[in-house]
Amino acid sequence: MTTLKLDTVTHYINGEKVKGNNDKYGFVYSPSTGKRIAAVPYASAEEVDETVQLAKKAAAKWAKTSVGKRVEVLFKFRQLLVENTDELAQLIGKENGKTISDAKGEISRGIESVDLAIGAPQILKGEHSVNVGGDINAYSMKQPLGVVTCISPFNFPVMVPLAMSVMAVAVGNAMILKPSEKVPYSAQLISELWEKAGLPAGVWNVLNGDKDTVNAIITHSDIQAVSFVGSTKVAEIIYEVGTKHHKRVNAFGGGKNHLVIMPDADIDKAVDSFLGSAYGSASQRCMAVSVAMPVGQKTADVFTAKLKEKVENLRPGSYDDESADFGAVISAEAKQSILHSIDEAVRDGANVVVDGRNPDVEFKEGFYLGATLLDNVTPDMNVYKEEVFGPARTIVSVDSIDEAIQLINNHQYGNGVAIFTNSGRDARKFTQEIEVGMVGVNVPIPIPVGYHNFGGWKGSRLGEGQMFGPDTARFFTKTKTVSERWFDQSSTDEINFDFPSS
Ligand code: NAD
């Protein structure tokens, strides 16, 4: 493993790397070794204001740049992301802990959102109606909002910031990204790539910081929209504070994603699908499957026996260990919190099928947890009710598809869900009745591709607007409708006091 020197991370403001002059800063740890690798400056309210003012100037010019010219920058940016995938993946691995192959997967999904944003000229086309009455033509246009912000989580240092922000830039806004203070390096490299692609200074800015920096951003009078991805607890704060300050807000939160296994499902395929989607990335994905829900005792017995054997063979390891199935969790605190959830579940009566609490790993100081599997879990236990963001997964058995649907619909989260079955009738019933935003049928992590919309229901998303997909363009623009008439010589002046009609 490469030894990193303790580097100071910078902000990126108006086309320049800026160290900042606030006394407040935090530290970045490499989860694989547990070692401190960087200090990260936290932007003050004054620095937030300076950045917003510069971004405002840049936004005014960028909005007037033709959409074709804006998209030219995106083409170059896309190419640079492809060329720098290896370096980006290394950074993700070092600061987030996920394996290099997993990091490359997230980069390629991030590039999908650039692909979609390259289609901005198509998406921005308005509507036009000729002669809606009295020689009047009506048309609509989508205009950018101005200065907007994205606040991102630690678990996808590249994919989520790209998914949240690239369309916003493409449709003519200036962006201030506040990445997770735990993973600031990837955002630095993304800034360099934007600069190399030719994005004008001030259109893309990165401010590092904690909750105080976020608060200064989302209460600033010149910020027009806030897009947030992170835990539901924080999503609620962002939504309340942001809307109180008259921002357009969408806030994506946590999840508790179920995988229902019907008695007629191909059990081996369900087991393999569960493994990758439940434990990949050390289970630190908002769409990670966290609950296996076999239907019927026989299904539960067969599924659990087969799964146990495979979970026992999973191995966590350093981000650059090619044989590791997944990496470390993000921090020592996260590790403690996951251990607490497991211990509490055991006290509540859960049975430990596979115990990953003391994994055998090379770097003893790293934040590792092995794959843990709990069964006899019931809906009243905290381990079922709360999101556990780490490799502790549960089995909750039910007697029927109706019971499965009812339990899932009663859950506070509604991000993703999957059903494994060979019955079209059951699949149809499930997809119709389930109250979850993204549904898979024999697909374990139903993350929509970049050109479809992404968004959970219930506690998994506050506010309207999706993260990927064409709806992102709607979130970051406002619609104006124009009614237009040109008088000619024959036009007569008429004064009319009635409500206009066609
Ligand atoms: P987090 O909520 O702790 O932090 C997210 C962002 O909010 C960070 O930039 C952080 O600096 C900021 N923040 C933290 N506390 C704050 C506060 N009190 N006030 C204002 N800002 C604050 O989330 P995380 O631990 O970085 O990420 C993991 C969570 O994100 C999980 O719950 C996961 O499910 C969720 N997530 C959801 C999606 C989705 O699409 N729904 C995608 C990825 C991750």
Side-chain angles (χ1 to χ4, degrees):
M1 171 174 305
T2 10
T3 328
L4 291 164
K5 58 180 189 319
L6 194 67
D7 247 346
T8 304
V9 178
T10 57
H11 308 300
Y12 184 79
I13 304 170
N14 203 34
E16 307 213 350
K17 289 181 179 164
V18 177
K19 279 197 174 166
N21 47 25
N22 195 12
D23 289 343
K24 221 174 147 195
Y25 58 92
F27 290 114
V28 182
Y29 293 83
S30 184
S32 299
T33 58
K35 291 207 163 56
R36 214 187 250 187
I37 55 170
V40 54
Y42 292 173
S44 64
E46 291 73 35
E47 287 167 318
V48 167
D49 181 49
E50 281 161 26
T51 309
V52 173
Q53 298 315 327
L54 292 164
K56 211 173 148 186
K57 281 194 191 132
K61 273 196 191 159
W62 185 239
K64 287 194 176 143
T65 306
S66 76
V67 64
K69 284 264 178 280
R70 295 201 298 254
V71 163
E72 271 176 29
V73 178
L74 265 72
F75 271 109
K76 289 187 197 137
F77 180 59
R78 184 195 193 282
Q79 186 56 26
L80 288 163
L81 286 168
V82 172
E83 287 167 9
N84 288 274
T85 291
D86 286 344
E87 196 183 338
L88 269 174
Q90 284 290 329
L91 284 183
I92 295 173
K94 278 172 196 158
E95 64 184 4
N96 168 286
K98 68 174 71 171
T99 60
I100 294 294
S101 56
D102 192 22
K104 286 187 176 170
E106 86 153 89
I107 296 165
S108 81
R109 295 305 297 263
I111 290 173
E112 269 178 22
S113 40
V114 185
D115 293 341
L116 178 79
I118 283 171
Q122 179 68 15
I123 292 173
L124 285 179
K125 282 199 304 196
E127 295 147 333
H128 197 127
S129 303
V130 176
N131 193 15
V132 292
D135 287 336
I136 294 172
N137 291 352
Y139 65 94
S140 68
M141 62 180 100
K142 291 189 173 72
Q143 294 190 314
L145 304 177
V147 185
V148 297
T149 188
C150 289
I151 299 148
S152 59
F154 78 82
N155 65 327
F156 286 107
V158 169
M159 182 187 79
V160 167
L162 292 183
M164 297 169 89
S165 67
V166 180
M167 183 62 87
V169 170
V171 298
N173 298 290
M175 170 61 58
I176 297 179
L177 171 71
K178 207 304 283 175
S180 165
E181 63 275 40
K182 298 186 179 106
V183 295
Y185 275 119
S186 301
Q188 291 218 150
L189 184 51
I190 291 173
S191 305
E192 283 172 29
L193 300 186
W194 272 125
E195 193 174 324
K196 280 190 190 148
L199 192 70
V203 176
W204 171 266
N205 307 277
V206 174
L207 287 177
N208 294 295
D210 64 352
K211 60 180 171 45
D212 294 336
T213 309
V214 171
N215 193 54
I217 296 174
I218 65 174
T219 55
H220 195 290
S221 56
D222 286 322
I223 293 281
Q224 306 299 331
V226 179
S227 189
F228 169 87
V229 178
S231 59
T232 294
K233 184 174 59 105
V234 180
E236 284 168 357
I237 299 172
I238 303 285
Y239 188 75
E240 279 170 26
V241 176
T243 51
K244 194 172 164 208
H245 286 81
H246 304 155
K247 318 290 173 214
R248 190 179 286 197
V249 183
N250 62 18
F252 298 84
K256 192 80 180 178
N257 308 310
H258 298 68
L259 187 147
V260 176
I261 307 109
M262 295 299 292
D264 67 350
D266 181 327
I267 298 287
D268 290 318
K269 286 206 170 63
V271 167
D272 288 347
S273 298
F274 182 86
L275 268 190
S277 57
Y279 294 104
S281 242
S283 313
Q284 298 174 116
R285 293 177 182 142
C286 65
M287 289 288 277
V289 172
S290 117
V291 184
M293 192 163 263
V295 176
Q297 193 57 49
K298 197 167 155 226
T299 317
D301 291 344
V302 178
F303 179 80
T304 307
K306 289 187 179 222
L307 185 63
K308 175 179 191 284
E309 219 180 292
K310 295 204 169 176
V311 174
E312 279 168 345
N313 289 323
L314 296 179
R315 203 181 61 77
S318 175
Y319 75 91
D320 53 0
D321 173 353
E322 285 180 14
S323 64
D325 295 300
F326 53 84
V329 297
I330 189 68
S331 63
E333 296 76 44
K335 179 174 169 175
Q336 280 315 314
S337 148
I338 298 155
L339 283 171
H340 169 80
S341 297
I342 300 172
D343 294 344
E344 185 187 40
V346 173
R347 278 199 303 277
D348 289 346
N351 171 41
V352 184
V353 180
V354 181
D355 192 343
R357 283 175 283 188
N358 286 303
D360 184 16
V361 287
E362 185 187 350
F363 298 98
K364 304 290 175 211
E365 306 298 312
F367 312 135
Y368 295 100
L369 277 169
T372 295
L373 185 63
L374 304 164
D375 78 355
N376 290 346
V377 171
T378 51
D380 56 328
M381 294 182 188
N382 277 341
V383 75
Y384 178 76
K385 290 195 279 197
E386 305 296 335
E387 178 182 52
V388 179
F389 217 51
R393 311 283 85 176
T394 53
I395 301 177
V396 177
S397 304
V398 292
D399 291 329
S400 66
I401 187 171
D402 287 306
E403 192 183 345
I405 291 171
Q406 194 186 7
L407 269 181
I408 296 166
N409 287 353
N410 284 343
H411 204 283
Q412 62 166 324
Y413 294 116
N415 217 32
V417 71
I419 184 169
F420 274 64
T421 181
N422 276 307
S423 157
R425 191 189 53 201
D426 285 345
R428 187 169 192 285
K429 174 183 170 68
F430 190 80
T431 52
Q432 291 289 319
E433 293 179 19
I434 209 72
E435 287 173 17
V436 174
M438 292 165 282
V439 186
V441 176
N442 298 317
V443 174
I445 310 189
I447 301 180
V449 285
Y451 35 93
H452 279 258
N453 291 311
F454 176 107
W457 286 12
K458 299 185 280 184
S460 296
R461 178 180 47 151
L462 288 94
E464 253 312 307
Q466 318 281 113
M467 184 172 10
F468 303 153
D471 275 4
T472 325
R474 272 173 226 129
F475 182 76
F476 285 114
T477 52
K478 51 197 172 193
T479 301
K480 185 181 281 174
T481 309
V482 180
S483 299
E484 184 175 279
R485 171 167 58 186
W486 298 98
F487 295 116
D488 60 26
Q489 297 297 330
S490 62
S491 305
T492 52
D493 285 342
E494 274 175 35
I495 296 173
N496 193 340
F497 293 96
D498 298 336
F499 196 70
S501 67
S502 55

